[in-house]
Amino acid sequence: MSRRLLVTGGAGFIGANFVHHWCQTYPEDRIVVLDALTYAGNRENLAAVESRENFQFIYGDICDRSLVDHILAAEEIDAIAHFAAESHVDRSILGPGAFVQTNVVGTFTLLEAFRQHWQNAGKPEAYRFLHVSTDEVYGSLGPNDPSFSETTPYAPNSPYSASKAGSDHLVRAYYHTYQLPTIITNCSNNYGAYQFPEKLIPLMCIHILMGKQLPVYGDGKNVRDWLYVNDHCRALDVVINRGTPGETYNIGGNNEVENISLVQNLCQIMDELSPNLPVSPAANLITFVKDRPGHDRRYAINANKLTTELGWTPSVTITTGLRLTVEWYLQNRDWWEPLLSEEYQAYYWQNYVASTIKT
Ligand code: NAD
Ligand code: DAU
């Protein structure tokens, strides 16, 4: 059965990778992207698919109910892959309001519109609402705690993770109350092509190329579980096509790494691949800076359910994935240089400089 898929946030990092994956895997399917092109959204990320006949980009906000209603009806959408979000923890600390608006109110708007649309169509079983969420809703782990499973209680610690948790609860409630065929995925940290340069890996790659300091928060011993973005997209494909409505699936890379060792690893790869760096060895740029407020210590995902029930496993090791990612940032200066705009510099100053000035 061919699908007519609405991808919210498809001009962002994971959304764009997902659109590329879907267009390659299911060329007969119709893809409609709805994206508000915030600072993190970039139409360039979709340049390779823009000219396809069965692709449509729509500039707009997921909180705009009449626009969403119109798209669902006019495009006869049968599945939503919902990526649109404010996604950066540091920005949520500086300004939480946008996170509640997009992540909670936006998700609610989509759910209500999709419920109406699904009812109008006679509640087809094949319709899907895939809600792409995060492992951060589970809070922070101690060094010897077992990794997060689908039954781990929610304990979000940042405005970002709290707003994602709120949206997860709404999605869950729409299945239980209305039997709307929703599925939730909670994934660990992604990395790969098209990631906006304020997140750890692209920020470090770009700073190494520019000879700027590499700001490591706190003692650098916080642990994240890294997953190559293409593997996340493969997992979402499996979940949309074979997942059970009402279920949650955790997605993770089984790649727990301390931030400091990840940054050191990136420095080594850069030293090797780029012989004319402004500062060499690149590790000389590593600078420990003030910690993120409320910084979660450790995340780790148990993805056994997805493996056992749906047969997904990650295919790219962290060694291969990091090298591919560094190569991508080396080869795509034209993509990232324009993103270092005035707005970006203002954010950078506020997050890294202003917070350290004593008043
Ligand atoms: P991103 O910030 O790169 O992209 C978000 C996209 O959503 C952008 O294109 C932006 O323009 C769009 N958007 C924001 N507000 C919107 C609105 N009101 N209406 C329409 N579009 C809007 O984020 P990402 O890293 O690609 O994350 C995508 C999703 O995956 C998010 O829901 C995030 O919570 C989740 N997630 C991310 C990671 C990760 O490591 N990046 C891991 C797990 C889950
Ligand atoms: O776990 C999944 C989450 O991963 C997603 O839900 C979020 O959308 C995504 O942004 C990411 O959140 P993190 O906060 O883990 O990612 P970030 O890249 O911002 O930071 C990764 C780690 O690196 C974290 O421990 C903070 C640290 N860090 C980050 C930056 C930007 C630094 O030490 N220095 C930095 O400059």
Side-chain angles (χ1 to χ4, degrees):
M1 186 195 85
S2 71
R3 282 218 175 261
R4 301 182 67 87
L5 200 58
L6 174 63
V7 182
T8 70
F13 163 48
I14 306 174
N17 279 285
F18 176 82
V19 168
H20 293 301
H21 166 88
W22 204 274
C23 288
Q24 276 158 21
T25 315
Y26 307 105
E28 70 286 1
D29 285 3
R30 172 96 174 141
I31 299 271
V32 179
V33 167
L34 172 62
D35 198 296
L37 296 179
T38 67
Y39 76 93
N42 184 350
R43 224 168 144 174
E44 280 298 305
N45 298 355
L46 298 168
V49 297
E50 286 266 10
S51 61
R52 294 171 78 99
E53 221 171 83
N54 50 4
F55 175 85
Q56 178 69 47
F57 179 86
I58 297 171
Y59 169 64
D61 193 324
I62 56 167
C63 302
D64 181 344
R65 174 69 194 268
S66 54
L67 175 64
V68 176
D69 282 343
H70 171 74
I71 296 169
L72 294 178
E75 292 285 354
E76 298 175 40
I77 296 297
D78 57 49
I80 296 184
H82 176 34
F83 296 87
E86 288 292 338
S87 73
H88 190 188
V89 175
D90 291 325
R91 287 199 188 237
S92 83
I93 296 165
L94 294 171
F99 287 70
V100 174
Q101 180 63 17
T102 285
N103 300 357
V104 182
V105 178
T107 302
F108 167 69
T109 307
L110 285 174
L111 283 166
E112 271 296 274
F114 194 62
R115 178 167 77 92
Q116 186 70 59
H117 175 67
W118 173 71
Q119 274 173 356
N120 293 346
K123 304 187 175 179
E125 271 181 33
Y127 276 31
R128 288 290 177 274
F129 186 105
L130 170 71
H131 179 61
V132 181
S133 193
T134 171
D135 59 358
E136 300 203 10
V137 297
Y138 298 121
S140 183
L141 293 169
N144 300 316
D145 288 339
S147 45
F148 301 129
S149 76
E150 289 80 1
T151 54
T152 303
Y154 274 32
N157 289 319
S158 71
Y160 163 67
S161 53
S163 65
K164 290 296 290 189
S167 65
D168 291 10
H169 292 321
L170 281 169
V171 174
R172 178 190 156 89
Y174 270 65
Y175 173 75
H176 283 274
T177 307
Y178 307 111
Q179 292 78 52
L180 190 70
T182 63
I183 303 183
I184 300 170
T185 55
N186 294 92
C187 187
S188 63
N189 285 65
N190 282 219
Y191 67 103
Y194 301 113
Q195 189 168 28
F196 191 80
E198 66 188 6
K199 304 281 176 78
L200 181 73
I201 290 181
L203 182 116
M204 295 297 164
C205 290
I206 288 166
H207 279 209
I208 294 170
L209 291 171
M210 295 168 73
K212 288 177 70 174
Q213 72 165 38
L214 308 180
V216 175
Y217 295 160
D219 63 2
K221 297 210 162 132
N222 300 68
V223 172
R224 295 293 182 266
D225 178 357
W226 294 95
L227 178 69
Y228 192 56
V229 66
N230 300 37
D231 276 333
H232 186 188
C233 296
R234 285 177 43 249
L236 297 176
D237 176 342
V238 166
V239 169
I240 289 180
N241 282 313
R242 291 192 280 117
T244 305
E247 292 292 318
T248 288
Y249 298 91
N250 278 359
I251 307 173
N254 216 7
N255 277 314
E256 284 187 61
V257 189
E258 282 184 353
N259 292 338
I260 185 62
S261 85
L262 184 87
V263 173
Q264 283 162 343
N265 199 348
L266 286 172
C267 289
Q268 280 161 6
I269 301 172
M270 275 288 186
D271 287 336
E272 193 190 318
L273 296 182
S274 185
N276 298 317
L277 292 174
V279 174
S280 179
N284 287 348
L285 292 166
I286 293 175
T287 311
F288 289 92
V289 299
K290 188 171 166 278
D291 208 354
R292 170 187 280 175
H295 196 177
D296 284 340
R297 194 62 172 171
R298 174 179 164 238
Y299 302 143
I301 277 279
N302 173 345
N304 285 347
K305 178 176 173 181
L306 187 56
T307 302
T308 316
E309 292 186 13
L310 302 181
W312 174 88
T313 50
S315 66
V316 178
T317 63
I318 184 106
T319 311
T320 306
L322 279 185
R323 187 166 280 265
L324 288 171
T325 305
V326 169
E327 281 169 356
W328 193 86
Y329 283 93
L330 275 169
Q331 287 157 12
N332 288 279
R333 245 178 202 275
D334 290 354
W335 179 85
W336 57 260
E337 269 177 347
L339 303 180
L340 309 180
S341 59
E342 250 174 58
E343 193 276 344
Y344 179 85
Q345 306 300 343
Y347 156 75
Y348 192 84
W349 191 86
Q350 213 187 345
N351 191 53
Y352 292 88
V353 186
S355 65
T356 63
I357 297 171
K358 289 200 176 68
T359 50

